[in-house]
Amino acid sequence: MAEQDTPDTDAPRNAGTETQATTADPADTANPADTADTAAADPTPATEPGRPPEPAHVPAPSEVPHTQPASTVPTAESHPENWGRIDDDGAVFVRTADGERQVGVWQAGTAAEGLTHFARRFDDVRTEVELLETRLSSGAGDPKQALASATQLKEGLADAAIVGDIDALAAKLDAVIAHAQRSLSQVKEKREQARADAVARKQTLAEEAEQIAESSTQWKWAGDRLKAILDEWKTVKGIDRKTDDELWKRFSKAREAFNRRRGSHFAELDKQRAAAKRRKEELIEEAESMTASTDWGPTAARYKQLMADWKAAGRAPKDADDALWQRFRAAQDTFFSRRSAAFSERDAEFAENATRKGELLVEAEKIDASTNLDAARAQLRRIQEQWDEIGKVPRERIRELDGRLKAVQDRVRGAEDAQWRRTDPEAQARVDQFRERVQQFEDQAAKARESGDEKRAAKAEQQAAQWREWLQAAEGAIADR
């Protein structure tokens, strides 16, 4: 219904009009900041002193601006005359794309004040719509409540006593309604997705429990994991009762199957541990029977095999396994302590042998095969005989000592090889042949020169020089050996 403002009877009557002025309601007074903004935006110059104010321009219907996009609704209070008018009888009209319609009656003040009043009402609705939009966009608002509010506002626009860009406001409300509907759809989708996720999670947990029940042999871990699955199961909400009961039956059945299989396993394990106890007692008897043996190598090897058999026997009952191990280890320790003592004595002997061999090496490393090869050979043979008589040395010294002796042997052997190469009859015969050829060509050159044949003499001397080079090379090869 169009709104009609009743004039205040105590207000003075305006001169020349029948409209009565009323004191403005504080709720209808413009915000000072809005007034300042309006003044700054209004390009109309201020009225000069003494000059009557110009009447406000009331645009014709053709001058009404086109509806703003849905994303923007202009404020009405700054220029309410763009969207409505008040006729001489006080009837208030708003312009829309469908034409003018009356929205109320104003008789409490001037026409400008009336338009401002109805424009403020428009801006209040505009602010409410923008607040709905902001809350929807930020996710802070309830889409269902926003949809109801926007729908109610949209349905009331046709009868609303407001002046402003109603078409833009209607478009904005359409956008808010569409947004709210999308949000409601999304909420529904999220709810359905959450339910699907919850069902999928419990299905995954049930499948894991079934797999554990079927094949897991890590009993402690599997039991702890089933307990953790149960704890997580309780936190998964949002599933319908029928589906939840079906999934719970699967999980419960898996737990029961696992508990039965675990019980059977430990019953069988008790039998195996009893057999392991008997086997370990047999191994202990054999280990204790060998503690006095002096056949170090074979006995140590047998103890090693007994240890392998011990591990293969498995665990005996916990209250007996530690005591059995102490007996078995005591038998081993007795034998290996005796062997260690014997090896310590042997190691002392080997260390002494290493010292004696070191003294022989000092003598061997002084051998000089370059001066007297036969004496060097004889001295090396004597040292080698003494070396063998001394016997074994510690294992960590073998490479060092044998390496030093081998170096002496290599040096003597190298001297022998060099002597042989120097006395090689084939090489010496080749040197003598080259020397003979040099002499022959030198004699030919002398005879040719005596007979005055210089050409023949020069050729013979050239051949002699060539054979002389080969002779020098052959002599050098023998000397380098």
Side-chain angles (χ1 to χ4, degrees):
M1 177 180 293
E3 178 175 338
Q4 179 173 354
D5 284 356
T6 305
D8 190 341
T9 55
D10 295 332
R13 183 179 299 275
N14 290 334
T17 66
E18 297 181 357
T19 306
Q20 294 178 339
T22 61
T23 304
D25 189 317
D28 294 336
T29 354
N31 187 307
D34 292 341
T35 306
D37 292 342
T38 303
D42 188 356
T44 306
T47 305
E48 298 179 4
R51 179 178 177 182
E54 295 181 0
H57 172 67
V58 179
S62 61
E63 297 176 323
V64 176
H66 295 293
T67 301
Q68 299 278 351
S71 60
T72 304
V73 180
T75 59
E77 186 178 354
S78 58
H79 294 287
E81 67 278 4
N82 289 341
W83 314 107
R85 66 184 181 86
I86 299 179
D87 65 11
D88 294 340
D89 296 329
V92 184
F93 294 91
V94 66
R95 301 184 187 92
T96 68
D98 296 330
E100 276 189 339
R101 66 178 175 85
Q102 185 175 352
V103 295
V105 177
W106 176 260
Q107 294 179 345
T110 66
E113 290 171 344
L115 283 177
T116 300
H117 171 76
F118 284 90
R120 285 200 194 103
R121 290 180 172 234
F122 175 88
D123 287 343
D124 289 343
V125 177
R126 171 183 175 275
T127 301
E128 185 177 355
V129 173
E130 289 184 344
L131 183 59
L132 288 174
E133 182 184 39
T134 300
R135 287 177 176 173
L136 279 175
S137 298
S138 66
D142 179 5
K144 185 176 181 180
Q145 183 179 356
L147 178 60
S149 298
T151 302
Q152 183 179 3
L153 288 172
K154 176 67 184 299
E155 291 173 350
L157 278 184
D159 299 323
I162 56 178
V163 171
D165 192 345
I166 292 179
D167 295 323
L169 187 59
K172 172 69 77 174
L173 281 167
D174 287 339
V176 171
I177 290 170
H179 190 167
Q181 290 172 338
R182 288 196 303 273
S183 297
L184 280 174
S185 177
Q186 291 171 357
V187 168
K188 182 179 179 181
E189 290 176 1
K190 287 181 180 178
R191 188 182 299 114
E192 292 298 323
Q193 184 61 48
R195 178 189 175 280
D197 291 344
V199 171
R201 183 59 190 147
K202 283 196 173 182
Q203 286 176 338
T204 300
L205 292 174
E207 289 170 0
E208 183 181 358
E210 289 167 345
Q211 185 176 2
I212 289 173
E214 180 182 356
S215 60
S216 178
T217 57
Q218 299 179 16
W219 306 109
K220 185 178 185 310
W221 172 87
D224 292 343
R225 180 56 190 153
L226 285 174
K227 182 178 178 182
I229 289 175
L230 177 59
D231 292 340
E232 184 178 352
W233 189 282
K234 295 175 181 178
T235 66
V236 181
K237 307 293 183 181
I239 305 177
D240 61 277
R241 181 176 295 277
K242 180 181 178 181
T243 304
D244 201 40
D245 288 345
E246 292 174 355
L247 291 171
W248 171 252
K249 289 178 182 177
R250 287 179 58 187
F251 173 65
S252 181
K253 182 179 178 181
R255 277 202 310 167
E256 292 173 0
F258 171 77
N259 289 333
R260 287 195 301 271
R261 195 162 60 86
R262 180 173 60 178
S264 299
H265 165 77
F266 282 107
E268 180 64 25
L269 189 61
D270 289 341
K271 295 180 182 178
Q272 294 175 0
R273 287 178 174 175
K277 180 182 178 182
R278 292 191 297 271
R279 176 58 179 152
K280 286 185 174 182
E281 288 172 344
E282 295 173 358
L283 296 175
I284 288 172
E285 291 178 3
E286 183 177 355
E288 290 175 340
S289 69
M290 297 189 299
T291 56
S293 173
T294 56
D295 194 2
W296 310 117
T299 305
R302 182 55 188 160
Y303 270 113
K304 183 178 180 180
Q305 182 58 47
L306 289 179
M307 176 61 76
D309 294 342
W310 183 277
K311 294 178 180 178
R315 291 186 62 84
K318 188 174 182 180
D319 56 349
D321 204 48
D322 290 343
L324 292 170
W325 169 248
Q326 294 300 328
R327 284 182 59 191
F328 182 69
R329 188 175 66 175
Q332 290 186 96
D333 290 348
T334 300
F335 168 77
F336 285 106
S337 294
R338 292 178 55 251
R339 190 183 72 157
S340 295
F343 283 2
S344 295
E345 183 178 351
R346 184 195 65 181
D347 290 344
E349 178 186 348
F350 285 2
E352 175 62 23
N353 292 345
T355 301
R356 293 173 59 191
K357 284 190 175 183
E359 294 171 354
L360 281 178
L361 284 171
V362 172
E363 179 183 354
E365 288 169 347
K366 294 179 180 179
I367 294 176
D368 185 3
S370 63
T371 55
N372 189 336
L373 183 58
D374 292 336
R377 288 197 193 110
Q379 187 178 5
L380 180 59
R381 279 196 298 271
R382 177 179 59 78
I383 290 174
Q384 288 173 328
E385 290 172 358
Q386 294 179 6
W387 184 279
D388 294 337
E389 291 174 359
I390 290 174
K392 296 181 179 180
V393 298
R395 180 173 298 178
E396 66 273 12
R397 298 290 307 278
I398 292 175
R399 178 176 295 182
E400 169 207 347
L401 297 173
D402 287 352
R404 289 174 62 185
L405 180 62
K406 184 176 182 303
V408 175
Q409 293 171 338
D410 290 344
R411 193 165 62 249
V412 173
R413 188 176 297 108
E416 291 175 341
D417 292 343
Q419 184 184 39
W420 181 84
R421 286 194 298 270
R422 285 195 300 270
T423 59
D424 183 1
E426 292 183 2
Q428 190 60 47
R430 202 159 38 247
V431 169
D432 293 342
Q433 180 184 7
F434 289 166
R435 186 177 292 112
E436 181 180 351
R437 295 290 289 170
V438 170
Q439 186 63 46
Q440 288 177 356
F441 284 115
E442 287 179 345
D443 292 344
Q444 289 178 9
K447 291 179 180 179
R449 189 167 285 108
E450 289 177 359
S451 63
D453 191 348
E454 290 297 331
K455 183 176 181 181
R456 185 179 176 189
K459 182 176 180 181
E461 287 176 350
Q462 184 179 3
Q463 291 176 322
Q466 180 64 59
W467 281 96
R468 190 177 296 108
E469 289 180 7
W470 291 340
L471 171 62
Q472 292 171 354
E475 289 174 341
I478 293 177
D480 291 340
R481 294 181 177 181

